[in-house]
């Protein structure tokens, strides 16, 4: 006889402990529009038996009302919940779903494929460990596929599942599959992905989601769910130097002063030396306070209050860091931007830069280049348009503490905010340490192009024509006045011609004289003084 455990013997604590022991994987689905991202997630939830009966009943009812698969279940409706998404049959906003298997727990973000909503895709990719990049087997790699691949690479995702979807529409052609995989490897060779795993599948019919497809005996790789359960991702923050962006100065009474924030990387212990940046002051950790009590050490992901042994000046926006590997401090930042606004980004534009807990006014002093999505090569430009990815140089009103994005995602990534509307207009990644403007004064003076306070934006020949036309117009008036007094046509014409010639000569001679006088001039990229 088999003895089954009685229902009342179920221990909630044991279940929760088992869930805590599972690793968490964050992943996104991305790719071009109508490549099947929402359908894939719906199928993944369905095939892994993670839907309740009431969810299935609602899905069947919604499929009859909003579905695009005739009488069949439309799995995309599991994540496309907005009314406008169901009306148009597209994904607009990022939809997050949590599910769990026996081996791992997952948080998946379904991101839009339309170019218009690329900013939403970038938001979902910013926290992803793995990206499932879908490609329609019929269309192959598109411009939006390239843009999404570049974005996930920029944002630090190093593991890619290249999901070749709708294989049933190309009769599970091995040649077509290999052609797309080879093209993607050529395109992504310089994007820094650690590993790209190609998986052929049909999200609509559930082939190769959980079970291997019988139509593709030539494929010997993992199913999509098997890949997600086994892919090894290095946890973030563990190998990075200690960073705690100060969010709040905790001062409940005269006898207590601590600095609260979220530890973004590494570990801190009582007695360790730390440095406060950008001030550069050093001190020792005298205590680590949390809501549950004092700790001897704290790790990345914990919100704590640090007590320092010295009375140092620390404010919101400062970073408490390790002494050995402190952040960079500069008022100039080299950055790669993903520009999201409709208006073009150009030199001289001003924004608010939010990096960690600090917000500082910045100015764009140079737009260096943008990335060609077809070849991934840089192209020299003077501005960035909507959804462009390019490199710029920013200067802040005062020194800022930061890391490069390769060193730390939390203290190397930022957003740019419009000063008037407070809309987020760009996602930025610190790509290099910009030299301080004070250190570069001599170099700037030797290289600077002298311009007037309002530099001309027109061509030189147009400026000359404007000057001549204005002098001729003024001289005609002079001729009319002269003829009124003299009643002599030849004398009046001579007076007008003389005025045109003498004023032109005197004007350009006057311009050359003032060009040698430095008073009132500024350097390119500087503001009025």
């Amino acid at each position: 006889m088999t003895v089954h455990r009685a229902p009342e013997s179920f221990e909630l604590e044991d279940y929760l402990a088992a869930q805590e022991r599972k690793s968490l994987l964050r992943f996104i689905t991305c790719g071009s529009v109508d490549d099947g991202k929402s359908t894939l997630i719906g199928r993944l939830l369905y095939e892994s038996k993670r839907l309740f009966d009431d969810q299935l009943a609602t899905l069947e009812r919604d499929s009859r009302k909003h579905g695009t698969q005739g009488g069949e279940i439309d799995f995309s409706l599991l994540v496309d919940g907005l009314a406008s998404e169901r009306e148009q049959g597209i994904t607009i906003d990022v939809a997050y779903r949590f599910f769990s298997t026996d081996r791992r727990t997952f948080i998946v973000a379904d991101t839009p494929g339309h170019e218009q909503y690329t900013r939403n895709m970038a938001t979902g990719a910013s926290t992803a460990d793995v990206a499932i990049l879908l490609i329609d087997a019929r269309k192959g790699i598109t411009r939006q596929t390239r843009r999404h691949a570049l974005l996930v690479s920029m944002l630090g995702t190093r593991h890619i599942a290249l999901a070749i979807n709708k294989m049933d529409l190309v009769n599970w052609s091995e040649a077509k599959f290999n052609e797309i995989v080879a093209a993607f490897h050529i395109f992504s060779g310089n994007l820094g992905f650690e590993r790209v795993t190609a998986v052929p599948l049909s999200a609509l019919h559930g082939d190769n989601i959980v079970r291997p497809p019988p139509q593709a005996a030539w494929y010997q790789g993992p199913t999509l769910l098997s890949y997600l359960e086994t892919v090894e991702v290095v946890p973030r923050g563990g190998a990075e130097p200690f960073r705690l962006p100060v969010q709040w100065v905790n001062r409940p009474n005269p006898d207590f002063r601590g600095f609260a924030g979220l530890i973004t990387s590494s570990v801190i212990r009582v007695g360790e030396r730390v440095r406060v940046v950008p001030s550069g002051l050093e001190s020792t950790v005298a205590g680590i306070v949390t809501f549950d009590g004092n700790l001897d050490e704290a790790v990345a992901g914990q919100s704590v209050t640090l007590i320092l042994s010295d009375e140092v000046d620390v404010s919101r926006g400062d970073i408490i860091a390790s002494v050995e590997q402190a952040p960079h401090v500069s008022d100039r930042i080299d950055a790669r931007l993903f520009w999201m606004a409709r208006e073009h980004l150009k030199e001289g534009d001003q924004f608010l830069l939010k990096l960690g807990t600090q917000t500082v006014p910045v100015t764009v002093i140079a737009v260096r280049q943008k990335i060609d999505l077809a070849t991934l090569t840089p192209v020299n430009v003077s501005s960035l348009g909507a959804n462009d990815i390019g490199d710029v140089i920013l200067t802040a009103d005062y020194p800022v503490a930061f890391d490069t994005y390769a060193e730390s995602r939390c203290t190397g990534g930022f957003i740019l905010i419009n000063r008037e509307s407070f809309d987020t207009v760009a996602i930025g990644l610190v790509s290099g340490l910009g030299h301080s403007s004070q250190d570069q004064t001599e170099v700037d003076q030797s290289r600077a192009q002298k311009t007037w306070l309002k530099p001309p934006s027109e061509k030189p020949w147009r400026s000359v024509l404007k000057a001549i036309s204005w002098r001729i117009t003024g001289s005609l008036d002079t001729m009319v006045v002269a003829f009124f007094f003299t009643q002599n046509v030849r004398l009046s014409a001579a007076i007008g011609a003389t005025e045109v010639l003498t004023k032109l000569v005197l004007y350009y001679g006057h311009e050359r004289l003032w060009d040698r006088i430095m008073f009132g001039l500024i350097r390119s990229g500087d503001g009025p003084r």
Side-chain angles (χ1 to χ4, degrees):
M1 182 177 67
T2 302
V3 178
H4 299 281
R5 173 182 287 188
E8 60 269 15
S9 65
F10 173 77
E11 296 291 342
L12 178 61
E13 291 78 7
D14 294 340
Y15 174 79
L16 294 177
Q19 295 300 313
E20 289 179 355
R21 286 192 293 270
K22 294 181 183 179
S23 61
L24 172 66
L25 182 74
R26 297 176 179 268
F27 70 94
I28 65 166
T29 57
C30 56
S32 189
V33 62
D34 291 333
D35 281 353
K37 297 177 289 298
S38 299
T39 302
L40 174 64
I41 294 179
R43 262 293 179 181
L44 191 60
L45 296 174
Y46 177 80
E47 295 291 342
S48 59
K49 310 299 181 184
R50 302 303 163 183
L51 297 178
F52 296 107
D53 291 341
D54 60 334
Q55 290 177 301
L56 286 173
T58 301
L59 178 61
E60 292 174 354
R61 184 182 69 249
D62 291 345
S63 296
R64 290 192 295 269
K65 183 178 180 181
H66 303 286
T68 59
Q69 303 302 323
E72 301 295 328
I73 293 178
D74 188 347
F75 291 98
S76 66
L77 298 178
L78 280 170
V79 286
D80 288 343
L82 298 178
S84 56
E85 291 178 324
R86 296 189 170 194
E87 289 173 359
Q88 302 180 56
I90 63 173
T91 301
I92 296 175
D93 201 0
V94 182
Y96 295 91
R97 291 293 183 271
F98 172 88
F99 69 100
S100 176
T101 66
D102 293 335
R103 304 182 64 177
R104 194 173 240 172
T105 57
F106 304 93
I107 296 178
V108 54
D110 179 32
T111 63
H114 277 69
E115 184 173 339
Q116 180 181 351
Y117 304 114
T118 305
R119 66 176 69 188
N120 296 346
M121 175 269 165
T123 301
S126 62
T127 59
D129 302 309
V130 173
I132 300 179
L133 183 61
L134 274 83
I135 296 178
D136 189 327
R138 301 168 300 172
K139 298 184 293 185
I141 299 175
T142 65
R143 177 181 176 85
Q144 190 70 341
T145 307
R146 295 186 178 95
R147 179 182 280 110
H148 281 197
L150 179 56
L151 278 172
V152 296
S153 171
M154 281 176 50
L155 294 169
T157 303
R158 293 292 171 258
H159 295 270
I160 300 294
L162 190 65
I164 313 300
N165 192 24
K166 305 184 182 181
M167 287 295 295
D168 55 308
L169 300 182
V170 294
N171 297 320
W172 290 89
S173 170
E174 181 181 5
K176 186 66 174 178
F177 174 78
N178 291 333
E179 175 188 341
I180 295 174
V181 173
F184 183 81
H185 279 295
I186 294 174
F187 164 76
S188 64
N190 296 323
L191 291 182
F193 297 133
E194 290 183 13
R195 186 174 182 181
V196 177
T197 302
V199 181
L201 52 87
S202 172
L204 181 62
H205 302 291
D207 297 323
N208 215 24
I209 303 296
V210 175
R211 293 174 297 275
Q215 308 93 323
W218 46 267
Y219 175 71
Q220 302 298 319
T223 64
L224 183 62
L225 184 60
S226 176
Y227 166 81
L228 293 173
E229 287 183 324
T230 57
V231 61
E232 295 294 334
V233 178
V234 178
R236 297 175 184 171
E240 298 174 3
F242 172 71
R243 299 286 186 266
L244 185 144
V246 177
Q247 186 174 5
W248 176 46
V249 178
N250 191 355
R251 184 78 168 176
N253 58 65
D255 299 324
F256 184 92
R257 184 167 176 260
F259 310 103
L262 173 70
I263 300 176
T264 61
S265 58
S266 194
V267 60
I268 189 65
R269 300 177 180 86
V270 174
E272 288 191 356
R273 295 287 293 178
V274 292
R275 179 177 298 169
V276 180
V277 287
S279 67
L281 299 174
E282 296 185 8
S283 185
T284 302
V285 177
I288 303 175
V289 180
T290 69
F291 179 80
D292 298 320
N294 296 349
L295 302 176
D296 292 328
E297 72 173 28
V299 299
Q302 287 184 284
S303 294
V304 301
T305 297
L306 296 186
I307 303 174
L308 304 182
S309 59
D310 302 295
E311 290 293 334
V312 296
D313 183 14
V314 183
S315 303
R316 173 181 169 85
D318 291 346
I319 298 178
I320 300 177
S322 61
V323 174
E324 294 79 10
Q325 293 177 287
H328 309 291
V329 177
S330 177
D331 61 356
R332 292 200 179 188
I333 300 175
D334 293 340
R336 173 158 289 185
L337 293 184
F338 168 57
W339 183 249
M340 302 186 298
R342 294 181 180 179
E343 301 80 9
H344 279 225
L345 171 74
K346 57 187 181 301
E347 180 181 328
D349 288 348
Q350 297 181 334
F351 305 97
L352 295 177
L353 179 146
K354 182 171 177 56
L355 192 157
T357 58
Q358 56 188 329
T359 302
V360 57
V362 296
T363 303
V364 179
I365 62 173
V367 179
R368 298 171 55 195
Q369 57 194 17
K370 79 171 184 178
I371 306 302
D372 186 337
L373 295 178
T375 62
L376 294 184
T377 56
V379 179
N380 292 331
V381 295
S382 59
S383 65
L384 296 180
N387 296 320
D388 279 346
I389 298 171
D391 298 323
V392 302
I393 302 176
L394 306 173
T395 179
D397 285 10
Y398 47 84
V400 181
F402 58 87
D403 293 291
T404 64
Y405 194 76
E407 296 169 335
S408 174
R409 296 180 74 169
C410 293
T411 52
F414 62 88
I415 60 173
L416 291 182
I417 303 171
N418 185 293
R419 288 187 172 190
E420 297 180 358
S421 65
F422 292 98
D423 291 334
T424 299
V425 294
I427 293 175
L429 313 177
V430 179
S431 57
L433 174 62
H435 296 286
S436 172
S437 59
Q438 294 179 354
D439 297 336
Q440 288 290 303
T441 300
E442 294 182 0
V443 177
D444 289 343
Q445 288 178 346
S446 63
R447 297 180 178 178
Q449 176 185 3
K450 298 187 293 295
T451 60
W452 294 98
L453 290 177
K454 186 177 181 180
S457 57
E458 57 189 6
K459 300 292 185 180
W461 59 265
R462 188 172 185 273
S463 178
V464 172
L465 289 179
K466 283 173 61 178
I468 294 175
S469 64
W470 173 244
R471 267 71 186 178
I472 292 176
T473 302
S475 298
L476 288 175
D477 293 338
T478 303
M479 290 175 58
V480 172
V481 174
F483 179 77
F484 178 79
F485 286 104
T486 64
Q487 298 297 314
N488 190 318
V489 176
R490 290 186 177 182
L491 179 60
S492 300
I495 293 174
T498 302
E499 183 184 42
V500 171
L501 295 176
T502 54
K503 282 190 174 181
L504 283 175
V505 173
L506 291 175
Y507 173 78
Y508 283 102
H510 185 261
E511 287 287 300
R512 296 299 179 269
L513 175 63
W514 272 97
D515 191 49
R516 297 178 176 273
I517 300 175
M518 300 300 296
F519 175 75
L521 293 179
I522 60 171
R523 296 187 300 271
S524 296
D526 292 345
R529 298 183 184 276

